[in-house]
Amino acid sequence: RFLNYAWMSHPYHALPAEALRGITFALFWTSGSMYAHKISPPGMKATMLLIMNAMYGGLGQSVGSIIGGKLQSRVGTVKTFLYSGIFDICFVGVLVAYLASGKE
């Protein structure tokens, strides 16, 4: 999605990326909620979901906005999206390698 934003030449090019975001966010949130429910101690399911929501909506979005804003002011919008896309590709590669190693 970030790479699409970095290379798009018309605002309509953002529509496929936004459609993809809707699908991927729904999958992420569903799997995250199910995992939080699975690992929570008895009687703490709602608290675990609250912690997950606080980490994503509070900490994650706040820190992401600060880092993204600072990066955008230093290198510009296009490079910010490009660097974010490259970071995401590297992160997914490391995650896949970790999961493939079987050390869960």
Side-chain angles (χ1 to χ4, degrees):
R1 195 173 103 193
F2 290 133
L3 296 176
N4 182 42
Y5 289 142
W7 292 320
M8 71 181 199
S9 59
H10 194 275
Y12 287 126
H13 295 158
L15 294 178
E18 288 304 310
L20 181 63
R21 191 228 189 268
I23 294 166
T24 56
F25 182 79
L27 292 172
F28 154 73
W29 199 256
T30 302
S31 61
S33 297
M34 290 173 61
Y35 185 70
H37 181 78
K38 179 182 173 183
I39 65 168
S40 61
M44 299 288 289
K45 293 184 187 330
T47 303
M48 190 64 80
L49 291 173
L50 174 107
I51 292 170
M52 184 185 90
N53 194 16
M55 291 297 106
Y56 174 80
L59 183 66
Q61 289 180 347
S62 299
V63 171
S65 295
I66 292 168
I67 292 171
K70 294 288 185 187
L71 190 60
Q72 186 179 15
S73 68
R74 290 197 175 155
V75 300
T77 303
V78 173
K79 285 187 180 179
T80 298
F81 281 122
L82 183 63
Y83 296 158
S84 298
I86 292 168
F87 175 81
D88 282 353
I89 289 170
C90 293
F91 180 77
V92 168
V94 168
L95 182 63
V96 167
Y98 174 75
L99 294 175
S101 73
K103 294 184 179 185
E104 295 181 35

